[in-house]
Amino acid sequence: SGAPSWDQDPMSAHFEARKCPDEGCIAGLPTTEQNWSTYVLWSEKFGTNTGGAVEIEAPDWVMFDLDDELVLYNLTIKGKLSFDDSADRVLRVGSILVWGMLEIGTEEQPFGAVTGKTAKIRLTGDVENVEEYVYVNEQTLWGKVIAVAGVFNSYGAPV
């Protein structure tokens, strides 16, 4: 749906779905970003949460700016999560459910185009271990899954 073909832009991806969470479709995305590392309410709630489940609420736009690898069990995005490209970023997570937007770079400013930095999402888990499954709105997510019911845009510089 309007995304460039792989031949036109081989370092990009665009996913968009049409299903809404039980509480209804998200009406617009947040317009004010908060850094994961410094946003007071965010850091008090999650800090450098290791191994836990994190949910970015619909009114939140969080800029992933942690220098150290972040390890999460599950990440649910109802608002917006963007990646800051001033340093290499690594997010290690069992599964991601995107109701809002996951954004790594933009068409106008691909991640790492100016800085030469990289962003990595490392998916973890074992699809055969039912104890690690995450159940969200009657959906089952097992390890190593990014479920996109919203928008996931990824634009990166050639490496």
Side-chain angles (χ1 to χ4, degrees), residues 10 12 20 22 31 39-40 50 52-53 56 66-67 69 92 94-95 98 116 122 138 152:
S12 301
C20 297
D22 289 344
T31 57
Y39 180 42
V40 175
T50 299
I56 298 175
L66 295 179
D67 292 332
E69 179 177 286
R92 191 161 48 120
S95 60
V98 181
R122 292 185 175 149
E138 299 179 9
F152 175 16

Side-chain angles (χ1 to χ4, degrees), residues 48-53 70-74 92:
T48 56
N49 188 7
T50 299
L70 180 66
V71 179
L72 299 174
Y73 175 66
N74 170 262
R92 191 161 48 120

